[in-house]
Amino acid sequence: MKRVEGHKHLFREDSGAIVNTDTAEYLQYVKLRAEKKKQREEIDQIKTDISEIKSLLMEIINGPR
C-alpha cells in the first residue's frame, strides 16, 4: 500500500481502493452511528406511543369501535 499524499492515515491499495487506518476516527464513527440508531429507535417508539394514545382518546370520545 502507498500513502496518499498529504494524508497521514490514508493509503491506496494496489486495487485502487483507499484505506483509512485511523482507528480513533473509525471508533468515533461507530459510536456516532450507534447513537443515531438509538435516537431513531426512540423516535419510532414515541411515534408508536402517540398513535396508541390518539387511538385511546378517540375510543374515549366516540366509544368502542
Side-chain angles (χ1 to χ4, degrees), residues 2-64:
K2 296 180 183 178
R3 185 179 300 271
V4 175
E5 188 176 323
H7 299 279
K8 183 177 178 182
H9 296 286
L10 298 181
F11 293 87
R12 184 175 302 277
E13 290 188 335
D14 294 334
S15 66
I18 302 282
V19 177
N20 186 349
T21 60
D22 187 354
T23 55
E25 186 178 317
Y26 174 73
L27 292 174
Q28 182 181 5
Y29 161 76
V30 170
K31 181 180 176 183
L32 181 62
R33 187 178 66 182
E35 288 173 2
K36 285 184 179 184
K37 180 180 178 187
K38 183 179 176 185
Q39 287 177 346
R40 173 54 49 200
E41 289 171 350
E42 288 175 353
I43 289 170
D44 289 344
Q45 183 60 48
I46 290 169
K47 286 179 179 180
T48 300
D49 292 346
I50 289 174
S51 179
E52 185 178 338
I53 291 168
K54 182 179 175 181
S55 187
L56 290 169
L57 286 172
M58 293 303 291
E59 190 173 321
I60 290 170
I61 292 170
N62 299 327

